[in-house]
Amino acid sequence: MQKKRHAEIVGGGFSGLAAAGALAQRGWSVRLHERSPELRPSGAGIYIYENGLRVLEKLGAYDEAVKGAPFAHTREMRDEHNRVLSVHRWDPSKRVFSVVRQRVINAMADAARRNAVEIVLGSEAVAATPDGELTMADGRRLKADLIVAGDGVNSKIRDSLGLVAKRKPLPDGAIRVLIPKTPEEMASGDGGTTIENWSGSRRILYTPVSETELYIAFTMLHSDEVGRRTPIDKASWKQSFPHWTDLIDRIGDDARYDRFEYVKLKSWSSGCVAVLGDAAHALPPNIGQGAGCSMMNGLSLAYYLDREKDMATALKVWEQNERPLTEHTQRISVFLGLPTTWPTPLRRAFLTLAGKSKWMIAQRTKTARHVPTGT
């Protein structure tokens, strides 16, 4: 009887859980290490488009992940006077949901456990070798046929292998929170309209994510010390967005700021170690595809390892086939973040044009419309 191949996965986020579930479905024994005492994603809400939803279906996590989530059919871009600059209505034949991040992570973890994935919490890995040895923070050394580094933008596994070609902080960042809906908001019945509202270099993203919750993202230049202060400086944000005063007053003190980053690797693998997610291709959230790319690459990794029994060949083909779309996603995401640093009249003109340009819309939605490998 052929021995099961074994994978050690580092990181309990979207990439790690996708790879874990997909490998387990294909007969691997899988152990996933998450350094935190619980599976808690950074951020609050998330958009999952058709590409990511197909991955969730393949993993057996779709129904639980999107239960109660609204179909995000319309996105409005507004200026500092709350005037609508552009409206994008999503093709109803292509799904997109706005969802609470924790719900998606829980659904993926539940699906992985149903396929016998062992999830170990409070377990930190600090290094790996190309021949498949994983070093844990407590000194243990674990051997595996495959090691997957899905341990985020500050990946210790990636850095132990010297794989970074480029890593740079971007000029902006975000504070992301969940707040309860008011009775009026729950009664309105319009859970499918999201609003991206600009005022100077600041932005508020208003997104219903369930029947009872709203996801609010505040983005600003990293140099905007008052804007990125936590707890949120409500007076300052109300000055920028007086029409959102009632909403801003409802924001609690539990918030954190994250600066956006860009990461590009020399290679997505070294020996029998594969790197996924933000560890491999961190990008700003301007088209909502960070998690989508992470999940797609986790699933496709398992697909190629199943199709190509030679590890080196499988990892080479995986990167050759999947990396171009991921890098397109990075380029568009970074490009759409550039207006943050522009003067208001130029930014307003660009956002208006970008919202109406068929070419720009096609570039922005290319990843969302992609049919992921393995689905």
Side-chain angles (χ1 to χ4, degrees):
M1 184 176 178
Q2 189 176 13
K3 182 184 176 183
K4 275 189 174 186
R5 290 190 287 179
H6 177 66
E8 297 280 352
I9 296 181
V10 183
F14 292 100
S15 59
L17 286 168
L23 288 167
Q25 286 178 332
R26 289 162 174 78
W28 287 65
S29 70
V30 180
R31 178 164 49 195
L32 182 147
H33 303 271
E34 169 53 47
R35 68 179 183 177
S36 300
E38 54 186 335
L39 296 174
R40 286 293 302 271
S42 61
I46 187 172
Y47 296 92
I48 303 185
Y49 294 81
E50 181 70 26
N51 59 316
L53 296 170
R54 285 174 177 261
V55 176
L56 291 175
E57 286 175 331
K58 192 67 176 178
L59 296 173
Y62 174 83
D63 290 339
E64 182 183 346
V66 304
K67 184 178 181 181
F71 175 66
H73 53 73
T74 303
R75 186 184 185 95
E76 295 181 358
M77 189 86 69
R78 300 184 184 181
D79 68 8
E80 65 275 15
H81 302 296
N82 207 27
R83 296 176 300 201
V84 176
L85 298 175
S86 65
V87 178
H88 177 71
R89 290 184 173 84
W90 194 250
D91 180 350
S93 69
K94 303 294 184 183
R95 297 165 295 174
V96 54
F97 290 97
S98 49
V99 195
V100 177
R101 276 178 179 256
Q102 189 67 57
R103 174 176 285 279
V104 185
I105 289 293
N106 291 347
M108 294 177 72
D110 289 345
R113 290 188 179 105
R114 288 195 295 272
N115 284 294
V117 172
E118 179 187 2
I119 297 177
V120 187
L121 302 176
S123 181
E124 183 179 5
V126 296
T129 59
D131 63 354
E133 184 175 82
L134 184 66
T135 301
M136 307 304 293
D138 61 9
R140 288 179 298 143
R141 296 179 184 273
L142 307 176
K143 290 291 292 182
D145 298 292
L146 172 72
I147 295 171
V148 176
D151 49 340
V153 69
N154 296 311
S155 172
K156 292 182 178 180
I157 308 304
R158 172 202 65 205
D159 291 347
S160 74
L161 296 165
L163 290 175
V164 175
K166 187 174 185 179
R167 179 182 178 183
K168 67 175 184 178
L170 296 174
D172 49 348
I175 298 168
R176 292 170 272 205
V177 298
L178 288 175
I179 63 172
K181 286 183 177 180
T182 64
E184 291 76 20
E185 287 165 339
M186 285 189 281
S188 72
D190 183 16
T193 299
T194 65
I195 299 169
E196 183 176 346
N197 197 168
W198 287 82
S199 178
S201 58
R202 292 181 176 182
R203 179 170 41 166
I204 288 179
L205 184 66
Y206 170 97
T207 306
V209 288
S210 74
E211 295 173 352
T212 59
E213 291 175 295
L214 296 172
Y215 163 46
I216 310 297
F218 299 84
T219 76
M220 70 300 290
L221 292 174
H222 183 71
S223 58
D224 183 354
E225 294 185 6
V226 175
R228 62 183 171 91
R229 185 180 296 161
T230 56
I232 286 173
D233 189 313
K234 295 181 180 181
S236 177
W237 279 93
K238 285 190 286 188
Q239 186 175 8
S240 297
F241 297 92
H243 48 281
W244 287 112
T245 292
D246 291 344
L247 180 81
I248 293 167
D249 279 335
R250 290 157 55 192
I251 304 298
D253 292 342
D254 185 15
R256 79 176 219 182
Y257 167 77
D258 294 291
R259 189 174 186 178
F260 303 146
E261 289 200 49
Y262 174 90
V263 172
K264 185 175 183 178
L265 302 189
K266 302 169 189 174
S267 170
W268 281 6
S269 65
S270 176
C272 57
V273 183
V275 187
L276 289 173
D278 284 350
H281 45 75
L283 71 166
N286 294 314
I287 61 172
Q289 283 292 346
C293 285
S294 296
M295 292 190 291
M296 287 196 300
N297 292 334
L299 175 62
S300 61
L301 172 65
Y303 170 85
Y304 287 111
L305 287 167
D306 193 43
R307 194 181 74 169
E308 305 281 350
K309 297 306 179 184
D310 177 70
M311 179 75 69
T313 301
L315 293 178
K316 181 180 179 181
V317 174
W318 168 62
E319 181 171 354
Q320 284 178 340
N321 290 345
E322 304 302 317
R323 186 164 179 163
L325 180 64
T326 297
E327 293 196 339
H328 165 84
T329 310
Q330 283 186 302
R331 287 192 298 271
I332 295 299
S333 297
V334 170
F335 176 69
L336 289 175
L338 294 177
T340 306
T341 63
W342 297 351
T344 296
L346 181 59
R347 178 173 52 252
R348 183 187 297 117
F350 172 82
L351 293 174
T352 302
L353 178 62
K356 296 176 181 178
S357 164
K358 291 183 179 180
W359 180 85
M360 192 68 246
I361 291 170
Q363 300 308 305
R364 192 177 72 230
T365 61
K366 180 179 179 180
T367 312
R369 292 180 284 108
H370 176 69
V371 177
T373 303
T375 64

